[in-house]
Amino acid sequence: MSVVPTAVSSEINFAFYYREGQRRTKIWERVSLIKYLPFQLQIQERYSLFYNHLKNIEESEGGLDKFTKSYKTFGVNQLADGGIYCKEWAPGAEAVFLAGDFNGWNPFSHPYKKLEYGKWELLIPPQDGHSPVPHGSKLKVVIRAQNGALLYRISPWARYVVRDEDKVNYDWVHWNPPQSYIHKNPSPKRLKSLRIYESHVGIASPEGKVASYKNFTYNVLPRIKDLGYNCVQLMAIMEHAYYASFGYQVTSFFAASSRYGTPDDLKEMIDVAHSMGITVLLDVVHSHASKNSEDGLNQFDGTDSCFFHSGYRGTHQLWDSRLFDYANWEVLRFLLSNLRMWIEDYRFDGFRFDGVTSMLYHHHGIGTGFSGDYNEYFGLHVDEDALCYLMLANHMINTLHPECITIAEDVSGMPALCRPVEEGGGGFDYRLAMAIPDKWIQIIKELKDEDWNMGNIVHTLTNRRYEEKYIAYAESHDQALVGDKTLAFHLMDAEMYTNMSVLMPLTPVIDRGIQLHKMIRLITHALGGESYLNFMGNEFGHPEWLDFPRIGNNESYHYARRQFNLTEDDLLRYKFLNAFDRDMNKLEERFGWLASPQAYVSEKHESNKVIAFERAGLIFIFNFHPYQSYVDYRVGIETPGKYKILLDSDAGEYGGHQRLDHNTEYFSEEFPHNYRPNSIMVYIPSRVALVLHNTDIPK
């Protein structure tokens, strides 16, 4: 199939906007043309680079569809007649061989044939109608380097690698079971409102061990469904030799991590999630790769380049990892095929691309701040090849699997990253609103409750580029890691260990922490974006940070777990936060505010510490004042009618003080307030969040 655009506009409609108050202006309007013309031209140049790559793929490889199916020919693949076809790209190799259990580890008995452009191939015929390489047997690609040395390598395309307990390095195991897992359930339809449960399979158990795919399938997925999340984002699935890297030092890009189970176990887990209507995203790491060479991509062909830039440019100075050469044809084949494989073999429904900021700039964001000046996003410091790869990836996914979702983790704020490729944008569906969690931590650490700035909170939650979708979150895995603190720990600290029992008196610290934890989550959920994300366990205020086994903690698993059992203990207050998180998600599912236009904020009162806004036909009211409650507080609204409470953070089931009567009816008045034509009078206790619904409008 052809996927090259049939026509390219001479003036690319890339919908590049800037905001002037409530007005938006296209950059090619006369008033701004001179100011933004250089940026428009660079966006057109980016599109031209993308278009030329796409055209070359069509002409040289038979189309993007065929090019990105290379995972079916590269590596070691089973043929229909029982034979084995092997193919590798090793441009720096003098010779290539296949060795393993199947040939008694003879390094020279099965040589590859050299092809053009650094490729090598090997065909091993069937033996008596059976595969010459049995399922479960170990293999190695043997590279004769330019200096004559023999290097034993794992194929970059290996589907399954395992490590014995007494070994340091992983072994490549040929995965070709007689009966592979067959998916029974269709993928969910593309969601309008994403409520994402960011998860790590290995820590998804209260026990101090590496948990399994099976555990996640039968113990965690039902919990996610009950909490009202409709999407799970899986971290650390792509195989990584070092567990404590959190999955961000990938060694085998096509292999699902064997520490949690088999590839079929993962397929079953995804299939069961689909049966529950849960979308499954993969946290994909294409921004860098582990420096491991024995069981990684590094120096695969004996050179310091191959998949990576050579020399200084090929190493990330902070991450101590290798950096891909995105201008290389075979690197594009490898990475694009990698995405295709995870979608088609495992049925992932999309990706969260990690480290996009590092990819976008030659400086990788190191020692660089981003003020929002457009000169920071255009110029020679931008890695146009990396950006072109991301455009190709999103174009491929949108063309071949349009139901899939892509998310960018970019802290820089690159303009148009979440606009369609045909507009000159990056093509992502969503970007993470990374300023929001930083703002909450800054407020809690640096300010007294009386000094919280309502305008600053609203600005942070609403400051997003027009027509680009953002994923809001109060905290993710980044804030849960050792060395940092979760919001719950910032708010309650050591008292979480001593005063979370309902049999203990409610201390001021615990009371404050529980109430603010709920309010912060709800206002972030309702005001901060077009999707919402939570890291597993943080919904109930998990009492400990996350720390993987490592030398520094004596290889302990004590902090590499999630204590879900705390929510099941009726004597602990964690159940209150868990219940509120569930009901908050269920309410969004009912009214769909994430898929609704951005909220209208009618009030951000500094001395009263009150924020009020309308979204999806609901009225959200937050009183952040630490001790001041308000009787007959006037709130401006758009739609007249009779209003009732739908969600009340002060309710008893959420650990609140039950100061509100949920039978109360609030009748609107034709009394303009805060630029709204109508208003209502409400009672707002201190440290309480309310959601009101117009009962005259059925829902």
Side-chain angles (χ1 to χ4, degrees):
M1 63 181 289
S2 175
V3 291
V4 174
T6 56
V8 180
S9 171
S10 58
E11 184 183 64
I12 297 172
N13 178 25
F14 52 83
F16 187 22
Y17 298 101
Y18 70 95
R19 296 289 296 274
E20 288 184 350
Q22 293 298 315
R23 187 172 72 90
R24 65 182 187 273
T25 310
K26 293 181 180 179
I27 71 165
W28 54 78
E29 287 183 358
R30 175 181 289 272
V31 67
S32 58
L33 183 61
I34 295 176
K35 180 179 179 181
Y36 287 102
L37 182 58
F39 308 137
Q40 178 182 351
L41 294 175
Q42 287 188 54
I43 282 196
Q44 289 176 330
E45 289 172 2
R46 292 173 182 178
Y47 184 87
S48 296
L49 180 62
F50 154 79
Y51 178 80
N52 290 333
H53 271 76
L54 198 57
K55 185 178 179 182
N56 289 337
I57 290 171
E58 288 287 327
E59 295 173 351
S60 304
E61 296 282 349
L64 189 64
D65 184 21
K66 183 179 178 182
F67 184 62
T68 57
K69 279 184 178 176
S70 295
Y71 69 92
K72 294 188 175 183
T73 53
F74 278 74
V76 173
N77 290 278
Q78 190 78 45
L79 299 177
D81 65 359
I84 292 288
Y85 179 72
C86 312
K87 195 173 187 179
E88 298 293 347
W89 176 63
E94 290 295 319
V96 180
F97 309 88
L98 185 68
D101 294 335
F102 78 101
N103 66 356
W105 291 97
N106 185 327
F108 306 116
S109 65
H110 288 77
Y112 284 66
K113 175 186 175 182
K114 190 172 184 178
L115 305 175
E116 290 184 304
Y117 309 116
K119 300 188 187 75
W120 305 77
E121 72 172 1
L122 168 65
L123 177 63
I124 309 176
Q127 296 178 354
D128 300 324
H130 299 288
S131 172
V133 181
H135 166 65
S137 60
K138 294 181 180 179
L139 294 170
K140 280 289 177 79
V141 175
V142 183
I143 304 286
R144 179 182 287 147
Q146 294 172 356
N147 63 3
L150 284 184
L151 308 173
Y152 286 77
R153 297 288 190 248
I154 292 176
S155 170
W157 304 79
R159 300 295 193 88
Y160 190 52
V161 296
V162 300
R163 181 171 62 189
D164 296 332
E165 290 185 5
D166 59 342
K167 290 187 177 180
V168 174
N169 295 320
Y170 275 74
D171 290 318
W172 171 21
V173 174
H174 182 52
W175 184 260
N176 183 37
Q179 182 77 42
S180 290
Y181 184 86
I182 299 174
H183 293 268
K184 305 175 184 65
N185 300 283
S187 298
K189 293 183 179 179
R190 192 180 178 96
L191 298 168
K192 294 181 179 179
S193 295
L194 274 179
R195 300 181 300 276
I196 304 170
Y197 199 73
E198 187 183 34
S199 304
H200 185 290
V201 170
I203 67 169
S205 166
E207 301 178 57
K209 64 177 185 180
V210 178
S212 66
Y213 295 124
K214 292 282 189 183
N215 167 73
F216 201 93
T217 301
Y218 297 108
N219 296 323
V220 183
L221 284 177
R223 175 184 180 82
I224 294 171
K225 178 69 175 177
D226 178 67
L227 282 168
Y229 291 93
N230 57 14
C231 178
V232 58
Q233 177 182 301
L234 295 174
M235 309 175 64
I237 295 297
M238 302 166 76
E239 191 60 273
H240 48 292
Y242 185 42
Y243 190 44
S245 76
F246 218 149
Y248 291 124
Q249 294 278 346
V250 177
T251 47
S252 292
F253 284 76
F254 286 82
S257 181
S258 60
R259 54 172 53 88
Y260 318 127
T262 68
D264 281 350
D265 291 341
L266 175 58
K267 290 178 182 179
E268 179 192 28
M269 188 181 91
I270 295 170
D271 193 33
V272 172
H274 287 166
S275 75
M276 297 178 176
I278 297 174
T279 293
V280 186
L281 305 180
L282 175 67
D283 196 353
V284 68
V285 186
H286 282 181
S287 49
H288 63 129
S290 168
K291 289 182 73 173
N292 287 18
S293 56
E294 293 288 334
D295 52 7
L297 288 185
N298 192 24
Q299 299 181 348
F300 172 68
D301 65 352
T303 71
D304 80 328
S305 53
C306 197
F307 290 94
F308 311 110
H309 291 290
S310 61
Y312 179 83
R313 190 180 176 191
T315 301
H316 196 290
Q317 300 306 307
L318 287 184
W319 297 343
D320 193 31
S321 54
R322 297 305 311 272
L323 296 171
F324 288 106
D325 179 1
Y326 300 104
N328 190 294
W329 190 265
E330 294 303 321
V331 171
L332 291 178
R333 182 198 305 277
F334 180 80
L335 295 176
L336 292 172
S337 297
N338 186 233
L339 298 174
R340 189 90 184 267
M341 187 277 296
W342 289 112
I343 294 173
E344 297 185 351
D345 269 20
Y346 286 91
R347 303 287 182 88
F348 277 99
D349 303 303
F351 306 98
R352 179 262 200 188
F353 281 74
D354 176 72
V356 168
T357 304
S358 176
M359 298 173 70
L360 291 175
Y361 307 97
H362 293 298
H363 54 64
H364 308 297
I366 300 173
T368 304
F370 294 94
S371 65
D373 188 308
Y374 280 84
N375 291 292
E376 296 167 351
Y377 309 119
F378 300 94
L380 296 178
H381 52 283
V382 176
D383 190 334
E384 303 288 353
D385 293 321
L387 181 54
C388 180
Y389 160 66
L390 293 172
M391 295 170 73
L392 283 167
N394 283 309
H395 175 76
M396 177 200 73
I397 293 168
N398 189 55
T399 302
L400 301 176
H401 293 280
E403 74 282 0
C404 286
I405 297 163
T406 61
I407 300 167
E409 187 217 22
D410 170 42
V411 72
S412 74
M414 169 67 77
L417 192 62
C418 295
R419 293 302 301 163
V421 171
E422 57 268 24
E423 294 180 0
F428 285 97
D429 295 301
Y430 296 89
R431 65 196 310 161
L432 291 169
M434 301 183 72
I436 295 176
D438 291 342
K439 175 56 64 176
W440 286 123
I441 289 174
Q442 178 210 348
I443 289 171
I444 293 170
K445 286 176 65 175
E446 299 178 5
L447 299 177
K448 297 178 181 178
D449 292 4
E450 296 87 344
D451 297 331
W452 286 24
N453 187 301
M454 301 296 103
N456 187 243
I457 290 173
V458 169
H459 173 75
T460 302
L461 290 170
T462 58
N463 182 27
R464 48 191 187 268
R465 296 191 183 282
Y466 180 73
E467 288 193 345
E468 292 196 62
K469 294 180 180 179
Y470 281 67
I471 296 176
Y473 58 106
E475 52 188 338
S476 68
H477 71 274
D478 288 325
Q479 289 73 40
L481 290 171
V482 64
D484 204 341
K485 290 183 178 181
T486 62
L487 285 178
F489 228 108
H490 274 297
L491 290 166
M492 295 178 276
D493 212 2
E495 287 202 24
M496 294 189 74
Y497 294 110
T498 57
N499 296 326
M500 286 296 278
S501 170
V502 296
L503 302 178
M504 300 285 293
L506 183 62
T507 67
V509 169
I510 296 297
D511 185 28
R512 171 182 179 268
I514 287 177
Q515 309 319 324
L516 288 179
H517 194 274
K518 293 177 291 185
M519 296 180 71
I520 288 170
R521 275 174 151 63
L522 179 59
I523 196 171
T524 300
H525 203 310
L527 190 58
E530 289 70 40
S531 176
Y532 177 75
L533 177 143
N534 166 67
F535 179 65
M536 61 190 313
N538 286 358
E539 69 276 5
F540 63 84
H542 198 280
E544 293 171 343
W545 55 70
L546 178 61
D547 189 14
F548 288 89
R550 55 189 174 85
I551 296 176
N553 65 12
N554 295 318
E555 302 295 338
S556 171
Y557 284 87
H558 180 73
Y559 295 108
R561 58 195 179 113
R562 297 282 92 179
Q563 299 181 62
F564 297 126
N565 54 300
L566 296 177
T567 65
E568 297 158 10
D569 190 334
D570 226 23
L571 297 179
L572 295 177
R573 293 188 167 100
Y574 297 103
K575 64 179 181 181
F576 299 139
L577 300 179
N578 194 73
F580 184 80
D581 198 78
R582 179 194 62 226
D583 291 351
M584 174 178 68
N585 283 324
K586 298 288 187 182
L587 191 62
E588 196 287 326
E589 182 176 17
R590 181 179 167 191
F591 286 91
W593 62 67
L594 290 170
S596 299
Q598 192 164 331
Y600 183 92
V601 181
S602 60
E603 182 163 347
K604 39 190 176 180
H605 201 292
E606 296 303 339
S607 58
N608 291 345
K609 303 302 177 192
V610 171
I611 296 172
F613 58 88
E614 297 159 87
R615 191 176 187 186
L618 302 175
I619 302 173
F620 296 83
I621 309 169
F622 296 81
N623 179 8
F624 281 99
H625 204 288
Y627 53 83
Q628 184 66 59
S629 298
Y630 303 103
V631 178
D632 291 336
Y633 197 92
R634 188 173 294 278
V635 175
I637 59 172
E638 174 69 20
T639 308
K642 180 179 69 176
Y643 288 81
K644 294 194 72 172
I645 295 173
L646 280 179
L647 187 64
D648 164 23
S649 68
D650 202 42
E653 60 265 36
Y654 309 139
H657 298 285
Q658 306 178 68
R659 289 169 285 181
L660 288 158
D661 182 357
H662 289 198
N663 293 317
T664 302
E665 297 176 337
Y666 303 91
F667 294 89
S668 66
E669 303 175 53
E670 290 186 31
F671 189 98
H673 184 68
N674 286 340
Y675 303 101
R676 306 306 271 167
N678 303 284
S679 59
I680 56 174
M681 303 286 280
V682 295
Y683 168 45
I684 323 174
S686 61
R687 285 199 185 122
V688 165
L690 293 178
V691 182
L692 305 180
H693 169 52
N694 190 334
T695 59
D696 294 340
I697 303 175
K699 185 66 177 181

